[in-house]
Amino acid sequence: FSLFFPPLIPLSLCLLVLLFLLSSAHLGACRGCLSMNNEGELQKLYLQACTQSTHSLSFAVDFVDCGRGSGLRFESRDPADFRIEADGTVVAARTLQLSDRKGRSLEIKAKDVKSQEQWLVHVNFTQPNERSLTILFPRHSVVVKGDGSVNRVKRDWVIPPVNVLENSRKQFPEELVKIQSDKDKSNSLRYSVTGPGADQNPTGLFIIDAISGILSVTKPLDREHIPNFHLRAHAVDVNGNQMENPIDIIINVIDMNDNRPEFTHQIWNGTVDEGAKPGTFVMTVTSQDKDDPNTANGMLRYKILSQTPESPSSNMFTINNKTGKIITVAAGLDREKVPQYTLIIQATDMEGNPMYGLSNTATAVIRLLDVNDNTPEFTRETFHGEVPENRVNVIVTNLTVTDKDEPGTPAWNAVYRIISGDPTGRFSIPTDPVTNEGLVTVVKPIDYEMNRSFMLTVVADNEVPLASGIHRTRQSTSTVSIRVIDVNESPNFDPNPKQVKLEEGLPQWSMLTSFTAHDPDRYMQQTIRYSKLFDPANWLEIDPNNGRISTIAVLDRESPYVKNNLYNATFMASDNGVPPASGTGTLQINLLDINDNAPRVFPQEAEVCERPEPNTINITAVDGDLNPNAGPYAFELPNRPSDIRRNWTLTRISGDHAQLSLKISYLETGIYELPISITDSGNLPMSNTTYLRIKVCQCDHHGDCVDMERIMAAGLGTGAIIAILICIIILLVLVLMFVMWMKRRDKERQAKQLLIDPEDDVRDNILKYDEEGGGEEDQDYDLSQLQQPDTLEPDLIKPVGIRRLDERPMHSEPNYPIRSAAPHPGDIGEFIHEGLKAADTDPTAPPYDSLLVFDYEGSSSTAGSLSSLHSSSSGGDQDYDYLNDWGPRFRKLADMYGGNDD
């Protein structure tokens, strides 16, 4: 038809290809597996072959050589129909008809080259609609030795795995294999399987016909859940006796392409420098497929589906189809034009086959990293600014630049440098971190009289160097014009401080020096006036017009305002500018010493014992002047009154020290004023008589004064002693009041705990707690019994007689001693003593070491006679004699109800 209808030619070609594929599909080989046991013996299997509609046969069998490697050689007894390749694969040599092989088996021999041992196996063939695989329990294995002899030995063996396709759509249960023993011909056998999938979780996947031994699968299997199953087949007779050794059956689940690739991340983020060369690595994307990675089902291939934007080219990146590594393939990446690319990545299994493979997609976002490929450019060629003179840390003007690089990065941050116009370094240009502007700042004072203007040349760079091949433009350099503004400056004292050297004692109204200031404003006509700002001793004054300083008091070097012979005074100079300005200056006067201070004795008070031995007094001469107007000093006792030299002697020890001692053996206790004359060594010596106050007292063996006058001399007078005694008395009174308060508090506490009659003490009652809600709160007690006796009503108070109830009386009860009326309830101590006294006078009280009886409850029960109790029920016929057996406490009830009329 295609000859008459040309449009059908493509359809005809597709049909031809399809017919070819269908005709060749039945020629595919079905692969089984023959395995050897641990002795290397081949086992006998029944295999199903793939057949055509004409029952032709074509198959292949893989032998497992149990690790013998290339030492085995295989040989087919029917080489015309089957051949064995070097790897042990059995292949049909031609197209076979099952009818030709019916009843005939294929015999295969394996030979060990080294040991010359031989093994035989037989392969039987069945129709496709019959069971696919029959496993025979082995009886004997045939071993052919090198000399031709044959041995039959009972052996265990290993069954090759059974392969089951996952997600099968066949009718279930689907037969897999038949388990058969040659003993079933003479015995009735029962077959069973055990293991995961049979009688273990997941149970019920595999079942076996106990009679026929056909093993079947009951539902589709999932390789991604369980890739294989290990079962054991058993054969027993009807009595449960094991007829064959269990055999292992391995069932492998064959993978199908039923899972799509899954990317590890749905969105991948990567970076690459702008301007990167082709071949630069960007990032790697990965995905996973749950199918078997050793088959095409799990072999993935990657590719880029789209790129957004497609600028400057639609293929700026490529991806390794196996590893998922993304690299650049074209030049021209420019962040300023395209800052980011978005790629759609596809992963396909079946090695990327678009017809049969399953695929999935993910997004790769590639951000271009900025590099310094743009120079900062000034917005103006010249910037202007002005600044007052003598001002620092002042911003003169702001320099603005533009940079196409990414803001906030080192390639965008500007760095400003002054390359000319500021030889003394009076300006700096820091960068504003937010606006990227250059802040022209004054860092050193500028004098208008020296420089009225500045012309700076400034260049702008970035924090990182420019990229290779990029050069600075003309717009990266600018000029800054700065005008200095004249302001009224403060007058300056020169020198400051000013030092002068004078002798102390300069008389009043003496001229010292001139301390003047000059005005730095040369272009302003101004006058300066002077004033005193700081003069601690008020010794000086300054002329307001000419700055001359004179004294208004005598200068004294020994004044407390003079430190290290220097006296400091501060003066101020003010101009009449607008606004007025002022400056200060310090005058330092170095005062030279003169002999204007007489020496004096130190200390001015001393003690000495009335017995001279071994007492002496050491004295020192003190002079406010400096050497040579001070020591060495001359010490001397006056001639009058005469008893001074008669009682005392003064001995010079050194130039500044002397020693005073008694001449006589005893001097009456008292206080003596002793004049001592001291003369210094000045050019005009000065002499002074100082009185030394000496206290003569009684001394102990250490030479220390011990009389009360010493205490008085130490500063502890009568008033102080009286004050100390008053404090001690007040403290004792407070302690006594506290003790009395504590004692009263204890009495009040004891009054609340007043003892009551033991018969009325509810605390001795037995409480029952074995009921729900038990406890003291559920008991109906009269809590008023716990109160103080004086709070009770008078008719409720028990008689005051006290008796002991802890002993069963052996004779008639005596009259207990009666004590006086109850004490006041607050005096608990007296109450206790009264009770103790009553107990001591009790004739029935046992001694402390006697045996006490606690089970006797005493007499005169307030409950009254039990005979008043009667029952409303008619229990006359009931025998109550058994109450006698309950003990003495129930005998009264037995007498009342036991039958006696009385």
Side-chain angles (χ1 to χ4, degrees):
F1 291 106
S2 62
L3 296 177
F4 299 97
F5 300 99
L8 296 178
I9 293 177
L11 180 59
S12 301
L13 293 176
C14 292
L15 290 174
L16 290 174
V17 172
L18 181 59
L19 290 174
F20 174 76
L21 293 175
L22 291 175
S23 62
S24 61
H26 66 273
L27 298 177
C30 292
R31 293 182 175 268
C33 183
L34 297 180
S35 64
M36 293 184 291
N37 64 2
N38 53 0
E39 296 294 336
E41 299 179 5
L42 292 174
Q43 305 304 322
K44 183 177 182 180
L45 301 178
Y46 289 87
L47 301 178
Q48 176 185 351
C50 295
T51 62
Q52 303 180 18
S53 60
T54 57
H55 297 88
S56 61
L57 181 77
S58 176
F59 73 96
V61 179
D62 292 334
F63 287 92
V64 180
D65 59 7
C66 297
R68 292 180 180 266
S70 60
L72 290 177
R73 295 292 181 265
F74 302 98
E75 184 179 316
S76 173
R77 293 299 179 89
D78 196 354
D81 294 339
F82 302 96
R83 73 175 186 273
I84 302 178
E85 296 180 353
D87 59 353
T89 302
V90 180
V91 182
R94 62 185 179 86
T95 301
L96 302 174
Q97 302 294 331
L98 286 177
S99 57
D100 297 339
R101 305 299 302 182
K102 187 175 182 179
R104 296 171 53 195
S105 63
L106 172 63
E107 184 179 290
I108 300 175
K109 180 176 70 174
K111 182 178 181 180
D112 192 332
V113 178
K114 294 183 179 180
S115 64
Q116 297 300 318
E117 288 186 291
Q118 298 180 8
W119 297 269
L120 297 177
V121 68
H122 293 270
V123 180
N124 293 335
F125 304 94
T126 62
Q127 293 292 339
N129 56 355
E130 297 179 1
R131 290 179 295 276
S132 60
L133 178 62
T134 301
I135 302 176
L136 294 179
F137 283 91
R139 295 301 301 164
H140 295 83
S141 298
V142 179
V143 179
V144 182
K145 297 186 178 180
D147 55 0
S149 61
V150 177
N151 291 339
R152 296 183 180 270
V153 183
K154 179 73 174 181
R155 299 293 183 186
D156 293 332
W157 48 283
V158 179
I159 303 301
V162 178
N163 297 327
V164 180
L165 193 66
E166 70 169 332
N167 302 323
S168 176
R169 296 184 180 180
K170 295 181 180 181
Q171 185 177 1
F172 292 95
E174 178 186 355
E175 296 181 3
L176 299 180
V177 68
K178 178 180 180 181
I179 310 299
Q180 185 176 355
S181 173
D182 54 0
K183 293 183 179 180
D184 61 357
K185 298 178 181 179
S186 57
N187 298 281
S188 178
L189 301 184
R190 297 293 183 268
Y191 299 97
S192 63
V193 291
T194 59
D199 61 342
Q200 300 178 18
N201 288 330
T203 60
L205 286 180
F206 300 98
I207 60 175
I208 188 171
D209 190 306
I211 304 301
S212 63
I214 297 176
L215 179 66
S216 304
V217 60
T218 61
K219 63 178 67 175
L221 303 180
D222 186 1
R223 189 203 66 86
E224 288 72 36
H225 183 215
I226 301 178
N228 55 71
F229 297 88
H230 186 183
L231 305 178
R232 302 203 76 184
H234 307 269
V236 297
D237 58 13
V238 294
N239 296 323
N241 298 320
Q242 179 177 318
M243 303 302 295
E244 299 284 358
N245 290 333
I247 59 174
D248 293 327
I249 301 177
I250 304 297
I251 299 177
N252 291 330
V253 183
I254 305 303
D255 184 43
M256 288 184 63
N257 190 20
D258 57 345
N259 290 279
R260 291 181 179 274
E262 296 291 340
F263 282 91
T264 308
H265 304 286
Q266 196 59 35
I267 298 179
W268 296 80
N269 294 293
T271 58
V272 65
D273 291 337
E274 63 173 329
K277 297 180 180 180
T280 303
F281 171 76
V282 180
M283 62 174 157
T284 300
V285 297
T286 58
S287 64
Q288 298 176 350
D289 196 319
K290 296 180 180 179
D291 292 326
D292 190 355
N294 298 320
T295 64
N297 299 334
M299 296 181 180
L300 307 181
R301 296 295 183 266
Y302 301 91
K303 71 174 181 178
I304 298 176
L305 296 182
S306 65
Q307 169 191 308
T308 304
E310 297 180 352
S311 174
S313 171
S314 60
N315 296 316
M316 298 298 294
F317 304 92
T318 186
I319 187 172
N320 188 302
N321 65 344
K322 293 184 179 180
T323 63
K325 183 170 69 173
I326 300 176
I327 61 174
T328 60
V329 293
L333 295 175
D334 190 352
R335 190 204 64 84
E336 286 72 34
K337 295 180 180 180
V338 181
Q340 180 176 289
Y341 288 91
T342 301
L343 307 180
I344 303 300
I345 310 298
Q346 183 186 60
T348 307
D349 56 16
M350 296 299 293
E351 299 182 292
N353 190 318
M355 182 176 297
Y356 305 108
L358 301 177
S359 62
N360 209 339
T361 60
T363 302
V365 179
I366 302 175
R367 185 170 58 89
L368 300 186
L369 299 179
D370 186 38
V371 298
N372 195 14
D373 57 347
N374 295 278
T375 61
E377 298 180 352
F378 285 97
T379 58
R380 288 188 291 174
E381 292 185 357
T382 303
F383 296 86
H384 299 276
E386 58 184 20
V387 60
E389 65 172 332
N390 299 322
R391 298 282 299 277
V392 294
N393 298 326
V394 176
I395 298 176
V396 180
T397 185
N398 293 1
L399 308 181
T400 57
V401 296
T402 59
D403 197 321
K404 297 179 181 179
D405 292 321
E406 184 177 1
T409 63
W412 178 81
N413 296 335
V415 177
Y416 301 90
R417 292 185 295 111
I418 301 174
I419 59 177
S420 64
D422 185 23
T424 57
R426 298 184 181 274
F427 300 92
S428 68
I429 309 179
T431 303
D432 189 312
V434 178
T435 63
N436 209 31
E437 295 179 351
L439 309 179
V440 181
T441 307
V442 180
V443 295
K444 293 182 180 180
I446 302 174
D447 190 359
Y448 174 82
E449 286 71 25
M450 300 295 295
N451 300 97
R452 299 186 181 184
S453 63
F454 291 88
M455 188 67 66
L456 308 179
T457 302
V458 181
V459 63
D461 295 317
N462 293 118
E463 292 181 355
V464 295
L466 293 171
S468 178
I470 307 298
H471 302 283
R472 187 187 298 118
T473 62
R474 184 178 62 84
Q475 290 79 7
S476 298
T477 304
S478 182
T479 302
V480 181
S481 176
I482 301 174
R483 184 175 66 88
V484 182
I485 301 175
D486 189 18
V487 296
N488 184 23
E489 299 178 76
S490 302
N492 295 328
F493 285 92
D494 189 23
N496 190 15
K498 182 176 183 179
Q499 295 184 349
V500 295
K501 185 178 292 186
L502 300 172
E503 283 188 353
E504 64 173 330
L506 193 67
Q508 187 179 9
W509 311 118
S510 299
M511 173 66 184
L512 295 183
T513 183
S514 294
F515 195 21
T516 59
H518 69 279
D519 193 345
D521 298 316
R522 291 179 295 176
Y523 303 99
M524 297 181 183
Q525 300 299 325
Q526 301 177 145
T527 59
I528 300 176
R529 294 186 64 84
Y530 302 94
S531 62
K532 184 173 64 173
L533 190 63
F534 180 72
D535 182 15
N538 197 24
W539 287 345
L540 309 174
E541 70 174 2
I542 187 170
D543 191 298
N545 297 318
N546 54 27
R548 293 181 180 178
I549 299 176
S550 57
T551 63
I552 58 176
V554 177
L555 305 184
D556 185 7
R557 190 196 66 82
E558 290 76 29
S559 170
Y561 301 106
V562 177
K563 306 296 181 183
N564 296 325
N565 301 328
L566 290 178
Y567 179 75
N568 294 323
T570 304
F571 300 90
M572 182 173 64
S574 304
D575 60 19
N576 58 350
V578 179
S582 62
T584 61
T586 301
L587 177 66
Q588 290 184 341
I589 303 175
N590 189 356
L591 295 177
L592 301 178
D593 185 43
I594 62 175
N595 193 12
D596 59 344
N597 291 277
R600 64 184 185 276
V601 66
F602 181 83
Q604 296 182 355
E605 295 182 358
E607 292 180 352
V608 66
C609 296
E610 59 184 4
R611 303 285 182 183
E613 302 228 349
N615 290 317
T616 58
I617 301 175
N618 294 326
I619 59 175
T620 303
V622 178
D623 195 336
D625 295 326
L626 300 177
N627 290 328
N629 298 319
Y633 301 96
F635 299 89
E636 186 179 4
L637 292 175
N639 294 325
R640 296 182 181 275
S642 59
D643 58 345
I644 294 178
R645 287 181 174 268
R646 183 174 63 251
N647 297 336
W648 302 91
T649 178
L650 182 62
T651 305
R652 178 178 175 182
I653 301 175
S654 63
D656 298 336
H657 304 282
Q659 190 175 75
L660 181 66
S661 58
L662 279 173
K663 283 185 175 180
I664 59 180
S665 60
Y666 173 79
L667 184 62
E668 184 180 356
T669 300
I671 297 177
Y672 300 86
E673 298 285 343
L674 184 63
I676 299 177
S677 177
I678 305 176
T679 305
D680 60 22
S681 300
N683 190 13
L684 296 176
M686 295 191 66
S687 190
N688 182 31
T689 300
T690 305
Y691 284 88
L692 178 62
R693 188 168 181 265
I694 301 176
K695 176 178 174 295
V696 180
C697 61
Q698 297 179 359
C699 297
D700 55 13
H701 63 282
H702 295 293
D704 298 326
C705 289
V706 295
D707 56 349
M708 181 59 74
E709 293 183 0
R710 175 180 177 84
I711 299 178
M712 299 295 293
L716 193 61
T718 305
I721 296 175
I722 295 174
I724 293 174
L725 293 177
I726 293 175
C727 291
I728 294 174
I729 293 173
I730 292 174
L731 181 61
L732 292 176
V733 171
L734 291 176
V735 173
L736 181 61
M737 292 176 63
F738 178 75
V739 172
M740 294 176 65
W741 177 79
M742 289 295 295
K743 185 175 180 180
R744 180 177 181 83
R745 180 181 173 186
D746 292 340
K747 290 182 178 181
E748 292 177 355
R749 184 182 301 147
Q750 293 173 1
K752 295 180 180 180
Q753 300 176 355
L754 181 64
L755 296 178
I756 61 176
D757 192 55
E759 294 181 354
D760 298 329
D761 190 358
V762 297
R763 292 174 296 178
D764 294 336
N765 292 343
I766 299 177
L767 304 181
K768 185 176 181 181
Y769 291 97
D770 58 348
E771 296 179 356
E772 293 186 2
E776 294 185 2
E777 295 180 357
D778 294 339
Q779 307 297 329
D780 188 10
Y781 294 130
D782 184 9
L783 298 180
S784 62
Q785 298 295 329
L786 300 178
Q787 300 176 355
Q788 296 185 11
D790 59 344
T791 61
L792 303 178
E793 297 181 4
D795 56 350
L796 297 179
I797 300 177
K798 298 294 182 179
V800 297
I802 299 178
R803 58 189 178 87
R804 299 181 60 87
L805 301 178
D806 56 355
E807 181 182 33
R808 185 186 304 271
M810 304 306 293
H811 48 79
S812 60
E813 293 185 0
N815 293 327
Y816 292 97
I818 304 300
R819 63 174 182 173
S820 61
H824 189 273
D827 192 358
I828 302 301
E830 295 180 5
F831 183 83
I832 294 175
H833 286 298
E834 290 292 336
L836 180 60
K837 182 177 179 181
D840 293 336
T841 57
D842 185 359
T844 63
Y848 292 111
D849 56 352
S850 64
L851 179 63
L852 301 181
V853 180
F854 295 96
D855 60 347
Y856 178 65
E857 297 182 354
S859 62
S860 300
S861 173
T862 58
S865 175
L866 295 178
S867 62
S868 62
L869 300 178
H870 66 275
S871 176
S872 62
S873 61
S874 59
D877 297 334
Q878 186 175 356
D879 184 12
Y880 293 96
D881 292 336
Y882 66 91
L883 294 177
N884 293 319
D885 300 331
W886 288 11
R889 301 188 182 186
F890 292 88
R891 290 176 182 173
K892 186 64 176 178
L893 291 177
D895 296 337
M896 293 174 58
Y897 293 89
N900 294 332
D901 294 337
D902 54 353

